[in-house]
Amino acid sequence: MATMRVAQVSRPNGPFELVERPIPEPGAGSVRVKVEACGICHSDSVTKDGLFPGIPYPRVPGHEVAGTIDAVGPGVPGWEPGQRVGVGWNGGYCGYCGYCRRGAFFACERGQTTGVTYDGGYGEYMIAPASAVALMPAELRPVEAAPLLCAGLTTYNALRNSGARPGDLVAVLGLGGLGHLGVQYAAKMGFHTVGIARGKDKEPLARQLGASVYIDSQAQDPSAELLKLGGASVILATVTSGEAMSAVQGGLAVNGTMLVVGAAESMQVSPIALLTGCRSVKGWYSGTSIDSQDTLAFSARTGVRSMNEIFPLERVSEAYDRMMSGMARFRVVLSIGR
Ligand SMILES: [Zn+2]
Ligand SMILES: [Zn+2]
């Protein structure tokens, strides 16, 4: 029987184990993807550390998967072997629950999560429901596409649904894994783009990514600086510090929205600022497979790419630790395949 190599975790907080397994066959409604690259994301700690209840182990993490369909199960119209595809965090939806019927596929009651409720992309092959699959354009190499399926998707989809229009002042708080993509998307979407981060040394990077204004939140009051520019229509908060979020929300324009995609524990909001200026604070989930497909197409067309550190599958532990250390510039990607 043909086998494949995967990196699995056998128990919460257990180490990665490189094991050989039989290559699985796709069931009804599913496709098999020959994986070429898989990004390592902070959310993979959900599987690595057992942060969600009821995760079946052993489990293969990985939800930034780029590869090629090599087998298709019964009842999968529209997908065929040879298509280049990606699979993100949203691991598919049922299509018939109340949320799905109202178009809120991301909130599906029977929704699956790639690398959590089924095996993900830290391996040579994986099975994915057809509803989780996005087409990957020919211009993108798998290692380029992989991080766009989570960090890229999250920032792109949040910004395009933010209500901001071309020319509006849009600030991106944080210049890390999410933020360095958020600044690029904001600039390519035609927003007057402001990068906000800690320290003068980040300014050249912010400008290189497309920010026309940079605010050093250590040396300047970011709210006051944004108000000097007329106030931000949208602040995309990509950081995980509630304190940093609280410090910028005073810079929202009238009708402005603070769009939260960074998983901070809590933040302070001024109700007076909200009600006097009709301002809002809103969260954004990442997106479903069609949003991933749009993200990849937009990125291929406009040249948006993440900065990546690339590791082979055998060095998965080192690669994972590198990502968790927060020192990576900016995304960590496994290159897979012999
Ligand atoms: Zn992720
Ligand atoms: Zn559903």
Side-chain angles (χ1 to χ4, degrees):
M1 188 186 288
T3 61
M4 63 174 186
R5 228 160 21 132
V6 301
Q8 68 178 24
V9 178
S10 289
R11 56 183 162 83
N13 296 308
F16 287 106
E17 304 156 359
L18 278 166
V19 297
E20 294 276 337
R21 287 191 190 175
I23 297 175
E25 291 301 323
S30 296
V31 303
R32 185 170 67 207
V33 178
K34 185 176 191 309
V35 181
E36 282 143 27
C38 185
I40 298 184
C41 176
H42 200 275
S43 304
D44 292 337
S45 58
V46 165
T47 299
K48 180 77 166 57
D49 300 339
L51 304 181
F52 287 1
I55 300 175
Y57 288 89
R59 180 53 87 222
V60 180
H63 60 268
E64 299 183 350
V65 190
T68 304
I69 292 180
D70 88 318
V72 175
V76 182
W79 295 102
E80 53 191 61
Q83 285 176 314
R84 304 178 79 236
V85 294
V87 184
W89 173 260
N90 187 294
Y93 46 84
C94 74
Y96 54 84
C97 73
Y99 290 119
C100 283
R101 290 170 66 201
R102 291 181 196 281
F105 299 102
F106 78 94
C108 175
E109 287 169 15
R110 297 172 189 82
Q112 303 220 60
T113 306
T114 312
V116 179
T117 60
Y118 60 81
D119 285 331
Y122 288 18
E124 291 175 321
Y125 293 86
M126 68 169 284
I127 304 290
S131 61
V133 174
L135 275 178
M136 172 167 69
E139 297 92 319
L140 287 178
R141 291 186 298 135
V143 287
E144 293 177 319
L148 301 178
L149 290 154
C150 187
L153 164 66
T154 300
T155 48
Y156 170 81
N157 205 31
L159 285 168
R160 72 169 176 166
N161 286 290
S162 69
R165 301 190 300 175
D168 282 358
L169 193 77
V170 170
V172 177
L173 174 63
L175 278 177
L178 288 170
H180 89 291
L181 283 161
V183 169
Q184 294 181 65
Y185 286 123
K188 295 291 185 188
M189 287 177 186
F191 304 136
H192 182 192
T193 305
V194 180
I196 307 175
R198 290 157 55 89
K200 188 80 186 149
D201 55 318
K202 306 263 176 54
E203 176 158 5
L205 171 68
R207 294 199 180 273
Q208 180 202 329
L209 296 171
S212 46
V213 179
Y214 177 73
I215 299 172
D216 169 6
S217 61
Q218 268 176 333
Q220 297 165 290
D221 172 357
S223 291
E225 295 301 316
L226 287 174
L227 290 180
K228 276 188 213 165
L229 298 165
S233 298
V234 168
I235 299 173
L236 182 70
T238 72
V239 295
T240 51
S241 155
E243 222 171 284
M245 290 187 196
S246 306
V248 297
Q249 50 120 2
L252 284 174
V254 163
N255 290 319
T257 303
M258 175 110 167
L259 202 48
V260 177
V261 295
E265 290 272 315
S266 66
M267 64 178 287
Q268 277 206 320
V269 179
S270 158
I272 304 217
L274 297 185
L275 64 92
T276 56
C278 208
R279 299 177 178 92
S280 56
V281 177
K282 185 178 177 174
W284 192 264
Y285 67 97
S286 65
T288 59
S289 55
I290 194 68
D291 300 310
S292 291
Q293 191 164 313
D294 292 348
T295 303
L296 294 177
F298 184 91
S299 307
R301 218 179 288 127
T302 60
V304 173
R305 300 287 188 277
S306 64
M307 297 178 187
N308 301 328
E309 296 182 6
I310 297 169
F311 291 75
L313 181 62
E314 304 80 67
R315 286 167 64 195
V316 59
S317 297
E318 186 190 337
Y320 181 84
D321 291 345
R322 175 74 181 157
M323 181 280 304
M324 289 303 277
S325 75
M327 301 299 288
R329 290 288 171 272
F330 283 95
R331 303 295 291 185
V332 176
V333 184
L334 295 172
S335 178
I336 297 167
R338 2 194 174 203

